[in-house]
Amino acid sequence: MASDSEALQGLYDKHCVQGFKYAYGTAGFRYNADVLDTVMFTTGVLAGLRSIYLGGKTVGVMITASHNPPQDNGVKIVDPRGEMLEKSWESYATELANSASQNFASFQNKLKELLEILKLDLMTPGCVAVARDSRDSGPRLLAAFKTGTEVLANLQVTDHGVLTTPQLHFLTCKTNDLGQGAVIAETLYFKEFLSAWDELTMLCNIQSLPYKIRIDAANGVGAPKVEEMLGARSFFDNTFTVVNGDWKNPPALNHLCGADFVKTNQRLPQGISGDAKQGPHINCSFDGDADRVVFYYVNSVGEFKLLDGDKIATLFAKFFQELLQTAGLRDELQLGTVQTAYANGSSTHYLEKMLGVPVTCTPTGVKHLHHEAVKFDIGIYFEANGHGTIVFSEKVTELVTQKFSDASESKDRHNALQLLLVFSKLINQTVGDAISDMLGVMAVLSILKWTPEQWDNEYTDLPNKLIKVLVPDRTVFKTVNAERQLVSPVGLQQSIDDLVDKFDNARSFVRASGTEDAVRVYAEAATRQKVEELVTMVGQLVE
Ligand code: NG1
Ligand code: ZN
């Protein structure tokens, strides 16, 4: 405890260094691990304050840099229901970090100011749950974080060790649901999703997966977790293989593998071959903290075919629409999808025009998508990179339960109603979750009896390309209209539009990354060659 100045300075001096300027970005603070000690310390303080502000509810903290290279790390705060930190607190987090990065006096003043604005007392009890991914900077940064929590006198800190990001979100939510005294451990996560899987396979009479699945775990924390989880059920015996599972070798993390590598390069990761002798199978890749998943296969003529976040969203949309129809709830429950500007134009067209499912477009970052998705009764949101989930409103459970008690309903209808409930348990509703999403997709494919090709054939992606352009100052790139139009630098959008007009079926937009010091340029066009041309030309305009 550090209510007096000297003790506070003692804690500050242990980890804080001066000179770096931080900003809470798309997914919290994320930088090279060497510059993170100060912000880890202040995040310890801030997470504690957030818990006190919320009446002692447990606030989660995840130390990870997801798909970024091994030398990076990061930290983000998770609110009590498992959702991302409330927006107004992102500024407090940034201000506190930057004050500490100036000197001790600034930090002390900023802390005092925050306590006054928020009307908080450092003596009030609070709870924080923390976990980290497999990066080698994790333990050092965790220590800085824990020292930060010591600034608060009565803060209970639960260290969950090494977890996937969605496990931490889930456990944070469960801790608050179950209340004081409940034993909250990782086993709860495995139990919850495995029971839903058991229920689903029993209900649909699924004895085994229709084909084998190869999981590229990006040499990250997803590897031991998915092995432990699926290993607990004989159902999965001989049906899954984990490749790139070397999570104890941090330099291998995300290197030539993982969801981001596969999506960005549109090719197979290291360790997975397109060999036809493998027998029927599907592949998927997690990212470094297992909150993203993309699927892929190699077709009969040897082409790599990606089934990304858009394909996952459309698969679920089609499935849930039919389920609602069979359940007799199509008019009563609103199904909708949420995408970002990076969603392939063909997927948006398929959802809106072929399925008739509404699509909302939001800025990049799951916090924006989640916020819109909860406005639907069944809200499906996925970023094209494979980060997403499905959220179910309370009305779903209420209506299903009500209809379920009506004995006059047919057997098919009963089954559909039950399936709706089971899916709401199989899906990790708190945040995108590679393991839970993977099981959700495998469940749908098993029920529909679809091969990867059948899934893929629902619509054809427009050729697309995403590139990074390094610029002297990315903050000058400002956008509106869910990031689809630039308002600064003045005139640039007009030049992009003029270029796009010269191509058929084309689209392109530019925005500053929230997680890397670069500007991203996305383009779609009618052919691969045209998209290469367009993206290169727009890239040149940006430079
Ligand atoms: P930025 O760097 O802001 O584009 C990237 C991803 C986001 C999201 C965050 C958080 C793309 C184009 N952007 O954000 O979708 O996943 O990282 O990890 O994939
Ligand atoms: Zn991630």
Side-chain angles (χ1 to χ4, degrees):
M1 113 98 148
S3 46
D4 62 280
S5 190
E6 212 172 295
L8 186 64
Q9 175 136 29
L11 297 176
Y12 172 91
D13 285 342
K14 264 190 179 176
H15 303 279
C16 294
V17 285
Q18 280 126 39
F20 194 80
K21 194 157 188 303
Y22 300 100
Y24 202 96
T26 321
F29 297 105
R30 195 178 289 183
Y31 300 98
N32 185 298
D34 293 346
V35 302
L36 281 169
D37 299 68
T38 312
V39 73
M40 285 293 160
F41 171 79
T42 59
T43 303
V45 180
L46 200 94
L49 292 182
R50 180 81 182 141
S51 169
I52 295 177
Y53 181 81
L54 297 172
K57 291 215 175 93
T58 297
V59 163
V61 171
M62 185 69 201
I63 300 174
T64 177
S66 183
H67 58 280
N68 283 32
Q71 65 275 19
D72 286 2
N73 212 330
V75 63
K76 65 174 183 183
I77 300 177
V78 174
D79 266 350
R81 303 285 325 145
E83 69 279 47
M84 303 293 183
L85 177 67
E86 191 193 284
K87 186 106 191 103
S88 58
W89 277 69
E90 291 184 3
S91 335
Y92 299 147
T94 304
E95 287 164 22
L96 194 64
N98 287 330
S99 70
S101 191
Q102 264 175 355
N103 52 47
F104 172 68
S106 297
F107 166 67
Q108 194 176 25
N109 287 338
K110 182 50 82 180
L111 180 59
K112 195 160 160 269
E113 187 190 310
L114 281 182
L115 292 172
E116 276 164 19
I117 299 174
L118 300 164
K119 300 191 179 49
L120 300 178
D121 181 342
L122 288 178
M123 303 300 286
T124 317
C127 299
V128 168
V130 59
R132 60 189 167 88
D133 71 14
S134 57
R135 285 162 202 270
D136 54 6
S137 57
R140 187 191 90 232
L141 297 176
L142 176 69
F145 169 82
K146 284 187 174 167
T147 304
T149 63
E150 288 171 30
V151 168
L152 293 94
N154 293 303
L155 194 66
Q156 189 188 319
V157 180
T158 307
D159 179 0
H160 286 296
V162 174
L163 290 184
T164 69
T165 293
Q167 282 186 308
L168 185 272
H169 281 252
F170 174 85
L171 292 183
T172 301
C173 180
K174 273 286 165 198
T175 309
N176 291 301
D177 277 354
L178 300 177
Q180 286 289 331
V183 181
I184 302 294
E186 191 184 12
T187 43
L188 205 63
Y189 171 94
F190 294 134
K191 213 170 123 212
E192 177 107 352
F193 296 103
L194 281 174
S195 322
W197 178 261
D198 294 343
E199 227 183 294
L200 186 137
T201 47
M202 198 126 80
L203 185 67
C204 302
N205 199 17
I206 300 170
Q207 314 287 341
S208 62
L209 290 180
Y211 28 82
K212 293 188 177 177
I213 178 158
R214 288 188 293 188
I215 306 166
D216 155 28
N219 293 317
V221 55
K225 304 305 179 187
V226 78
E227 271 173 347
E228 181 172 353
M229 183 156 154
L230 303 192
R233 285 292 181 279
S234 56
F235 181 99
F236 294 107
D237 286 354
N238 307 316
T239 57
F240 78 98
T241 327
V242 173
V243 283
N244 300 317
D246 199 3
W247 68 283
K248 289 189 174 160
N249 176 19
L253 181 69
N254 298 321
H255 182 63
L256 301 177
C257 60
D260 201 57
F261 173 87
V262 171
K263 166 77 182 159
T264 312
N265 299 291
Q266 311 207 5
R267 55 177 265 216
L268 293 171
Q270 177 176 275
I272 291 193
S273 72
D275 190 350
K277 289 197 292 280
Q278 304 280 339
H281 67 273
I282 192 166
N283 310 296
C284 71
S285 284
F286 295 178
D287 73 338
D289 59 338
D291 60 356
R292 286 191 197 179
V293 63
V294 294
F295 292 80
Y296 43 95
Y297 66 100
V298 175
N299 69 10
S300 52
V301 291
E303 286 166 339
F304 168 86
K305 302 290 274 179
L306 181 66
L307 297 155
D308 61 3
D310 299 338
K311 288 276 180 181
I312 298 173
T314 51
L315 176 73
F316 281 136
K318 186 181 168 74
F319 177 75
F320 279 104
Q321 194 179 49
E322 284 172 9
L323 205 55
L324 284 177
Q325 181 74 32
T326 317
L329 289 171
R330 183 121 180 230
D331 296 331
E332 285 154 277
L333 293 175
Q334 214 205 343
L335 171 71
T337 50
V338 189
Q339 299 188 314
T340 71
Y342 293 106
N344 195 278
S346 294
S347 71
T348 316
H349 181 267
Y350 172 83
L351 287 165
E352 287 179 333
K353 303 287 185 285
M354 310 297 282
L355 297 185
V357 173
V359 180
T360 311
C361 184
T362 72
T364 305
V366 280
K367 59 188 173 192
H368 301 295
L369 289 104
H370 190 97
H371 191 72
E372 285 301 315
V374 292
K375 295 181 182 165
F376 296 107
D377 291 309
I378 300 182
I380 301 169
Y381 70 87
F382 277 87
E383 293 187 304
N385 59 32
H387 195 184
T389 186
I390 309 174
V391 283
F392 298 79
S393 73
E394 276 175 21
K395 197 170 156 200
V396 176
T397 323
E398 277 163 23
L399 271 180
V400 168
T401 320
Q402 203 181 354
K403 288 229 164 205
F404 206 65
S405 53
D406 183 351
S408 65
E409 300 284 15
S410 68
K411 188 165 178 289
D412 277 359
R413 193 159 276 194
H414 255 144
N415 254 344
L417 290 166
Q418 251 177 312
L419 255 187
L420 271 174
L421 280 193
V422 178
F423 265 98
S424 72
K425 291 187 246 173
L426 183 65
I427 299 293
N428 185 345
Q429 295 188 46
T430 60
V431 76
D433 182 334
I435 300 178
S436 148
D437 286 341
M438 178 190 77
L439 290 178
V441 165
M442 292 315 290
V444 173
L445 293 176
S446 305
I447 294 168
L448 299 177
K449 299 194 169 55
W450 271 10
T451 60
E453 289 85 349
Q454 279 169 297
W455 172 14
D456 198 17
N457 286 344
E458 284 293 294
Y459 69 86
T460 308
D461 271 329
L462 275 171
N464 61 90
K465 183 134 190 189
L466 178 62
I467 59 164
K468 267 193 292 197
V469 181
L470 299 179
V471 295
D473 179 10
R474 77 189 203 275
T475 60
V476 301
F477 290 80
K478 296 200 169 62
T479 57
V480 291
N481 188 13
E483 303 181 328
R484 289 172 289 193
Q485 277 173 304
L486 280 172
V487 284
S488 158
V490 175
L492 183 52
Q493 186 62 51
Q494 190 56 50
S495 312
I496 298 172
D497 292 346
D498 292 346
L499 253 183
V500 169
D501 278 347
K502 298 193 180 117
F503 291 77
D504 285 338
N505 239 346
R507 183 168 75 95
S508 179
F509 68 93
V510 170
R511 62 175 272 280
S513 160
T515 60
E516 288 175 73
D517 191 9
V519 164
R520 298 197 196 282
V521 176
Y522 177 86
E524 278 175 13
T527 64
R528 281 212 163 269
Q529 196 198 336
K530 288 289 167 196
V531 88
E532 287 290 345
E533 259 177 56
L534 179 59
V535 87
T536 311
M537 287 161 98
V538 177
Q540 282 160 357
L541 288 178
V542 167
E543 269 171 8

